[in-house]
Amino acid sequence: MFNQTVKQFTHIVLASQVIIFCALYYYSFEGTPKLKKLLPKEVRHFEFEKSRTDVLSANPKLVLLKEESFRWVYGLELQNSKISTVVLYFGKSSNEPLYEIIVNYKDAADMEIDANSLLGKPNYKGNEWKFYGKASAPLHAWVYRNKIVYAMPLPGTEWYENGKSTL
């Protein structure tokens, strides 16, 4: 009877160790990042894929910078120590979705610090980023001078042609 109890106890201990190992292994993976957390906190309230009308009604301080044949361009000055302005691109398709956000930093060094802390190590095309989330398209990001550019290749926008992404 003692040997049988030891065998049962051993099986229980081994099974619990396997369960603990599996749980630790599962939770060690980084999950898909929430796309909003990839943006600086000052612009997280802007949502990709939202219509131009919805974004404008929620942000009355946005200013129309220009209207082009394929997009609407809006801007917003920020009273921030690091970020000077934000530029938003809306497509001219049926719902005019927000598909690009350009964050202009006052200083390239601050931009680099934020890019590294928000986006991590580049994971796409050498020096760019690509993230998947619950959105209908992946979020792409890259840096240019003192800017972080976030773009989502949505149908009806400049980053989407002939049924596929051009990013």
Side-chain angles (χ1 to χ4, degrees), residues 34-36 38-39 46-50 89-91 97-101 129-142 149-160 165-167:
K34 294 196 183 279
L35 298 182
K36 282 185 172 236
L38 300 171
L39 297 167
F46 295 119
E47 292 184 50
F48 286 98
E49 300 186 87
K50 283 276 190 184
Y89 289 174
F90 295 89
L98 173 59
Y99 71 94
E100 188 166 326
I101 299 173
W129 296 267
K130 184 176 184 179
F131 300 98
Y132 293 91
K134 293 182 179 178
S136 64
L139 178 67
H140 294 259
W142 60 91
V149 180
Y150 298 89
M152 192 173 279
L154 301 172
T157 67
E158 68 184 288
W159 300 119
Y160 192 89
S165 169
T166 59
L167 288 173

Side-chain angles (χ1 to χ4, degrees), residues 7 14 22 28 41 44 49 73 82 89 102-105 108 118 128 132 136 143-144 147 166-167:
K7 282 182 183 179
L14 288 174
C22 289
S28 69
K41 68 178 187 285
R44 285 185 187 158
E49 300 186 87
V73 180
K82 295 188 301 185
Y89 289 174
I102 302 170
V103 182
N104 294 300
Y105 286 79
L118 293 167
E128 297 179 15
Y132 293 91
S136 64
V143 296
Y144 177 71
K147 302 166 178 47
T166 59
L167 288 173

Side-chain angles (χ1 to χ4, degrees), residues 30 33 38 112-131 139-143:
E30 287 186 28
L38 300 171
E112 287 289 337
I113 290 168
D114 270 9
N116 288 326
S117 66
L118 293 167
L119 303 169
K121 185 177 177 184
N123 65 0
Y124 184 68
K125 292 186 178 179
N127 61 349
E128 297 179 15
W129 296 267
K130 184 176 184 179
F131 300 98
L139 178 67
H140 294 259
W142 60 91
V143 296

Side-chain angles (χ1 to χ4, degrees), residues 49-83:
E49 300 186 87
K50 283 276 190 184
S51 72
R52 181 173 70 102
T53 305
D54 289 345
V55 173
L56 289 175
S57 65
N59 301 277
K61 292 185 179 180
L62 283 169
V63 176
L64 177 63
L65 299 177
K66 61 181 155 179
E67 178 184 352
E68 298 176 325
S69 63
F70 61 98
R71 68 180 173 201
W72 297 93
V73 180
Y74 283 83
L76 177 65
E77 285 189 37
L78 295 179
Q79 302 299 324
N80 183 292
S81 61
K82 295 188 301 185
I83 299 171

